[in-house]
Amino acid sequence: MDTPVPVRPEPVPHISVRRRLTELAFPAVVVLITVFVLAPVITVVLTSFTATNYAIFPPRGLSLQWFTRINPKFLASFQLSVWLALATTIISTTVATTAGLALVRGQIPGRQWIDSFLRSPLQVPLLVTGVAFYTFYATTLRGMGLNLRSTFVGLLIGHCVIAIPYVLAAVVAGLAKLDLTVEEAAEGLGATPWQTFRHVTLPMLRPALFAGAFFAFVTSFDDVPVSLFLAGSGTQPLPIELFFAVEYALEPDVFAVATLVVAFSTVLILLLEKAVGVRSALSGQTHR
Amino acid sequence: MVSMATRRGWLLAVILAFYLVTYVPALLTFVLNSLHPSRGMGIVGPEWTLANYAKLLNDPYYHRAFLLTFRMAATATLLTLALSYPLAYFIARRRSWLATAVLAAVVASAYTSAVVRTMGWKMLLGLNGPVNQALLATGLLDAPLKLTNNLTGAILGLVHVFIPLMTLFLMAVINNVSPALEEAASGLGANGWQVFWQVLFPLTLPGVIGGSLLVFALDMGAFTTPALLGGGRLPIISILIRENVLSTLNLPMGATLAFALLLLVMATFWLTNALTRGGAYR
């Protein structure tokens, strides 16, 4: 080669090594934060397999004993929580879908105001919603001879109020994305409003409905702050039983229950992923 | 088509009726309850009074409770932001299996029960837990650190609870900034830090403020996590509400604290809307 040798060739590899290091530093930081994000759940799952008679992490030995020794009160409250979450999901999804249709497709005066009003439970801290319903049940309704405290219906009403805004947000976002001309075409071809809804709107709205139903189920199934005030003996949902267990005594069987809860939520997320894709479901994501 | 459309108004009747017989009277009842005196033992006096609010404004105990709630929420919010921004950037800009895995971890964490998370932290952060064991092994400490049943535990738990929300929020914000701007800056010789502080961060600032105020409001109203990791005796507003309503049975004082908390949280949401309306991320 006749080309002249560069005057200062050394700094080039020096810089590229530094650059390689800074390029690796960022993913390393991201991985560390991700470990922080996953740490408590992994800890709970591993602890539940301990062979000891007390909860310890890292677990000693490997055993499924605690899954067979779960306190029956947890199984009863798990059952209650599933029924409560299912009822909340069905009611809030139905009610919020009809409301969403009216708000997006109808020409209702002041619909901006109605929309904000219907979403307003999102702005109320859950604990305050719990106190509000507690007071309402314990004073006004009891004065009228109606006792909803410590009842399934009382819990269901509270859970529907906190779940509806999530479903409404998902449905309104889903409807706004739909092509209106398809519905108009169906009606122009002689379909009744019900037929249009059943065979045109509903199938297209499916992803939004799945996402909304998922949010409703999880909101109810994980709720502590509202149930804490509305539940009583015999009507303790699972998160409340777990809450008291963490507050008073963390027995190893509590970790087995928690592991089953984690497995259950994971199955729900995977179902949502399979049905509509988590990324698209989260695009209608609201807070909390 | 108008007749078809207006006919849909009745669909709203069901939900409005539901709100009007449950949610609205529930809110009204608790606010009205804060205007009655407590006679002790769960008995509420019938006369009207502002005494509960006077107590809230004059008693230093409640001043400290509000300050502690603010401090807890502010610290937790800043830490949540610092940990979420790198995750959001990584997921938004990198297309690799690792980015997908990080997103999956964030989503899975978002839908993990708050109580289950605190159980994990209790095991990890206890006086004999692995975190303290590791800290002692490095020789940096002579005695284990108290990491749960205090403010530290509450803040740590809250940071963890709201990382998924903040990350997903910031992901959307960062996605709205064209990567070409960062490429142009680094092409012009800016290093990674300079690209971040002088290009990306200013462009995402409205979203950062919006997301932080949202998380701050949720931190102030949070109950489950600070109650379990703060040890139940941490005098923050949400824990005092539970104590008044369910333990000392002073429903009017509990209602007063709850109404004050509601006003603070709603003021924060209002501020968020006012600051971010028409902002860069919308």
Side-chain angles (χ1 to χ4, degrees):
Chain A
M1 289 280 194
D2 291 334
T3 46
V5 175
V7 190
R8 287 192 302 158
E10 294 95 330
V12 179
H14 179 66
I15 283 173
S16 78
V17 168
R18 264 188 73 174
R19 202 165 248 198
R20 182 77 42 92
L21 272 177
T22 47
E23 267 168 20
L24 282 176
F26 181 54
V29 167
V30 168
V31 167
L32 276 180
I33 302 172
T34 308
V35 168
F36 173 76
V37 167
L38 292 174
V41 182
I42 291 173
T43 304
V44 165
V45 173
L46 291 179
T47 305
S48 68
F49 294 108
T50 191
T52 50
N53 276 325
Y54 48 92
I56 185 165
F57 183 83
R60 305 221 174 113
L62 185 69
S63 152
L64 287 172
Q65 59 165 336
W66 290 110
F67 288 87
T68 63
R69 291 167 67 183
I70 290 175
N71 188 323
K73 72 178 178 189
F74 289 121
L75 300 178
S77 62
F78 179 78
Q79 220 173 5
L80 172 73
S81 274
V82 170
W83 286 120
L84 187 59
L86 276 178
T88 303
T89 306
I90 292 167
I91 294 174
S92 59
T93 306
T94 314
V95 169
T97 304
T98 52
L101 277 171
L103 285 172
V104 178
R105 291 285 185 267
Q107 287 174 355
I108 286 130
R111 68 175 172 189
Q112 213 63 39
W113 288 96
I114 298 174
D115 187 69
S116 307
F117 169 62
L118 294 180
R119 289 183 203 220
S120 66
L122 276 182
Q123 312 235 327
V124 182
L126 291 170
L127 192 78
V128 177
T129 307
V131 171
F133 274 96
Y134 173 89
T135 319
F136 182 47
Y137 291 172
T139 61
T140 317
L141 289 191
R142 215 174 57 178
M144 292 161 63
L146 186 62
N147 188 22
L148 285 181
R149 252 208 93 203
S150 315
T151 68
F152 183 84
V153 174
L155 283 164
L156 180 60
I157 292 173
H159 282 205
C160 283
V161 166
I162 59 172
I164 283 174
Y166 290 102
V167 190
L168 187 68
V171 169
V172 167
L175 277 172
K177 270 186 257 168
L178 293 191
D179 188 356
L180 194 59
T181 54
V182 184
E183 284 168 63
E184 283 170 357
E187 290 190 355
L189 289 169
T192 64
W194 170 250
Q195 286 172 325
T196 308
F197 173 73
R198 175 68 190 81
H199 298 290
V200 178
T201 316
L202 198 59
M204 292 198 295
L205 201 55
R206 217 179 64 116
L209 284 179
F210 270 116
F214 172 77
F215 294 142
F217 191 94
V218 173
T219 302
S220 166
F221 192 71
D222 287 344
D223 173 74
V224 170
V226 174
S227 306
L228 184 70
F229 290 95
L230 305 185
S233 57
T235 55
Q236 309 273 29
L238 187 58
I240 298 296
E241 285 290 3
L242 288 175
F243 182 90
F244 290 143
V246 179
E247 231 174 15
Y248 298 117
L250 260 182
E251 304 290 340
D253 69 325
V254 184
F255 287 88
V257 177
T259 299
L260 295 177
V261 171
V262 170
F264 190 69
S265 324
T266 310
V267 169
L268 284 183
I269 297 176
L270 291 178
L271 282 177
L272 182 71
E273 169 68 30
K274 207 166 179 301
V276 291
V278 168
R279 248 182 209 262
S280 79
L282 287 175
S283 65
Q285 162 91 0
T286 39
H287 65 260
R288 227 187 251 147
Chain B
M1 294 312 284
V2 173
S3 67
M4 197 68 74
T6 45
R7 221 184 296 165
R8 284 175 173 140
W10 68 268
L11 292 172
L12 271 178
V14 178
I15 198 169
L16 286 174
F18 178 68
Y19 272 50
L20 288 176
V21 299
T22 61
Y23 170 63
V24 174
L27 285 181
L28 280 177
T29 318
F30 105 84
V31 176
L32 289 178
N33 235 271
S34 71
L35 298 170
H36 289 298
S38 167
R39 295 267 171 78
M41 307 301 289
I43 295 165
V44 178
E47 59 271 29
W48 299 95
T49 174
L50 283 171
N52 299 314
Y53 290 93
K55 200 173 171 196
L56 199 69
L57 294 174
N58 295 323
D59 191 337
Y61 178 71
Y62 292 117
H63 297 176
R64 283 197 296 273
F66 278 103
L67 281 179
L68 184 64
T69 308
F70 262 85
R71 223 175 78 205
M72 178 189 77
T75 316
T77 303
L78 288 179
L79 289 171
T80 306
L81 175 64
L83 294 180
S84 302
Y85 205 110
L87 294 187
Y89 183 82
F90 195 79
I91 300 168
R93 287 290 195 257
R94 304 287 169 95
R95 288 281 167 267
S96 65
W97 65 269
L98 188 57
T100 310
V102 173
L103 177 65
V106 167
V107 170
S109 177
Y111 296 108
T112 303
S113 137
V115 185
V116 171
R117 301 170 192 234
T118 64
M119 291 170 62
W121 287 126
K122 289 238 166 202
M123 297 312 283
L124 287 169
L125 302 173
L127 289 178
N128 298 314
V131 170
N132 262 317
Q133 299 275 341
L135 286 173
L136 289 170
T138 60
L140 290 169
L141 300 171
D142 321 320
L145 277 180
K146 198 169 183 302
L147 296 168
T148 55
N149 295 333
N150 56 16
L151 185 62
T152 312
I155 290 173
L156 200 133
L158 284 174
V159 169
H160 187 263
V161 166
F162 292 119
I163 281 181
L165 169 73
M166 184 76 109
T167 302
L168 296 171
F169 189 94
L170 291 175
M171 230 172 79
V173 173
I174 293 169
N175 272 330
N176 279 353
V177 176
S178 166
L181 294 171
E182 290 153 65
E183 282 157 23
S186 58
L188 291 167
N191 66 32
W193 269 125
Q194 289 168 325
V195 172
F196 174 71
W197 281 114
Q198 294 175 21
V199 179
L200 188 64
F201 191 72
L203 285 170
T204 54
L205 192 58
V208 166
I209 294 172
S212 300
L213 282 171
L214 175 64
V215 169
F216 181 72
L218 297 173
D219 276 334
M220 278 200 298
F223 168 73
T224 314
T225 304
L228 292 177
L229 289 173
R233 306 219 60 85
L234 194 68
I236 57 167
I237 301 304
S238 60
I239 291 175
L240 294 185
I241 291 173
R242 177 213 189 181
E243 204 174 275
N244 271 293
V245 176
L246 296 178
S247 304
T248 60
L249 302 181
N250 186 342
L251 188 54
M253 199 62 220
T256 307
L257 285 164
F259 188 54
L261 180 65
L262 176 63
L263 290 183
L264 280 175
V265 167
M266 286 182 63
T268 312
F269 281 133
W270 176 83
L271 189 67
T272 315
N273 281 335
L275 286 178
T276 55
R277 193 174 296 137
Y281 79 96
R282 279 278 150 105

